[in-house]
Amino acid sequence: MDEIIKEFIDKEVVIYVSGSGSAAVTGFIRKAENGWIKLEKSNKQVEIISIDYVNRIQEYPRNKKGKKKMIFAE
């Protein structure tokens, strides 16, 4: 799993996480190893996320002009 996630390193992504309620977290993946993802948010805060709770990862969607699209958590 780490190898697949490493394709997203240094890209802005949306990570859908399960657990106590569902959530979507956005930021840049800086590192992925040993079952953990290091995510840097736009305000420079860092989060560490267990791969066990990740449902889906996608690159942050953008429109034709390069602006970020609205994201709705599923």
Side-chain angles (χ1 to χ4, degrees):
M1 183 63 101
D2 288 339
E3 296 303 317
I4 294 171
I5 295 171
K6 286 181 181 180
E7 294 177 21
F8 290 101
I9 289 181
D10 293 329
K11 293 183 181 179
E12 190 170 16
V13 297
V14 180
I15 299 177
Y16 296 90
V17 183
S18 65
S20 58
S22 295
V25 183
T26 61
F28 291 87
I29 293 180
R30 297 301 184 201
K31 202 176 211 181
E33 61 184 33
N34 299 323
W36 295 91
I37 299 171
K38 181 178 182 181
L39 185 80
E40 183 179 331
K41 298 174 121 186
S42 59
N43 60 2
K44 303 298 182 198
Q45 288 183 337
V46 175
E47 288 193 29
I48 306 297
I49 301 168
S50 173
I51 291 175
D52 295 335
Y53 295 102
V54 173
N55 291 329
R56 186 173 106 187
I57 299 175
Q58 73 178 69
E59 200 167 340
Y60 203 104
R62 298 185 179 273
N63 65 17
K64 292 178 184 177
K65 294 182 181 181
K67 292 186 177 183
K68 292 180 181 180
K69 289 184 176 182
M70 178 91 50
I71 295 178
F72 298 99
E74 297 173 359

